[in-house]
Amino acid sequence: GKEGGIRAQLRPVAWAPIVPVSAHTGKGIGKILKAAAEVGIQHRRTVSTATLNLCIQDALNHHVVSQRGGKVGRVYYGTQVSIRPPTFLLFVNDRQLFAEDEGYKRYLERRLRKDMGLAGTPIRIMFRESNKGGKDGRK
């Protein structure tokens, strides 16, 4: 339908809500304001570290990041570092593995949008390498 065509044209922001409006009759104008208010709430939303990490672990259990040289990407934990837009920092064993796998980053974005109620706002995910679980044997 029409919405599918619009989404195809707006692929980089496919997560954004689409609100049908008639310029001729004014039908749907109220829905624009309601959608904008909801997106504004999502844009300022904060997610607890515990909730974020449960979501990340569930995502990792369903889809693993690409491997390189036998090394598997691991996320030790994540935290929200900013709002407007919601920005998440994930501490990982190999930043390069995650940086090179755009498909995995998109997968995580989709999961966070769905599971954290961030469907209508841009989000940012950054990766930082951590030696957690490294030489001292801790996990």
Side-chain angles (χ1 to χ4, degrees):
K2 288 182 184 179
E3 185 173 319
I6 292 169
R7 288 224 180 266
Q9 292 176 9
L10 299 174
R11 187 164 164 73
V13 290
W15 43 264
I18 295 175
V19 181
V21 178
S22 169
H24 181 70
T25 66
K27 184 178 179 184
I29 296 289
K31 291 179 184 176
I32 289 176
L33 298 176
K34 184 178 179 185
E38 176 59 31
V39 167
I41 290 168
Q42 294 174 11
H43 202 60
R44 295 183 301 275
R45 178 163 291 146
T46 58
V47 176
S48 78
T49 297
T51 301
L52 174 64
N53 284 293
L54 285 173
C55 175
I56 290 169
Q57 282 309 120
D58 189 54
L60 288 170
N61 289 337
H62 289 90
H63 187 332
V64 295
V65 72
S66 295
Q67 296 183 25
R68 184 181 57 181
K71 192 169 190 179
V72 178
R74 292 189 55 195
V75 178
Y76 297 121
Y77 68 97
T79 188
Q80 184 172 1
V81 294
S82 183
I83 59 170
R84 296 184 294 185
T87 303
F88 303 97
L89 177 61
L90 306 185
F91 291 87
V92 299
N93 64 330
D94 187 338
R95 191 182 107 30
Q96 199 63 31
L97 267 177
F98 288 88
E100 291 173 356
D101 193 342
E102 278 297 314
Y104 194 76
K105 187 174 179 182
R106 285 191 305 271
Y107 165 73
L108 280 177
E109 286 177 6
R110 285 191 307 271
R111 286 295 304 262
L112 289 174
R113 283 183 205 293
K114 178 180 170 240
D115 297 348
M116 301 292 121
L118 301 169
T121 184
I123 62 173
R124 289 188 300 196
I125 300 175
M126 300 178 301
F127 301 101
R128 182 173 296 162
E129 204 160 307
S130 172
N131 61 4
K132 183 177 179 185
K135 294 178 182 164
D136 61 7
R138 287 183 303 150
K139 289 187 176 183

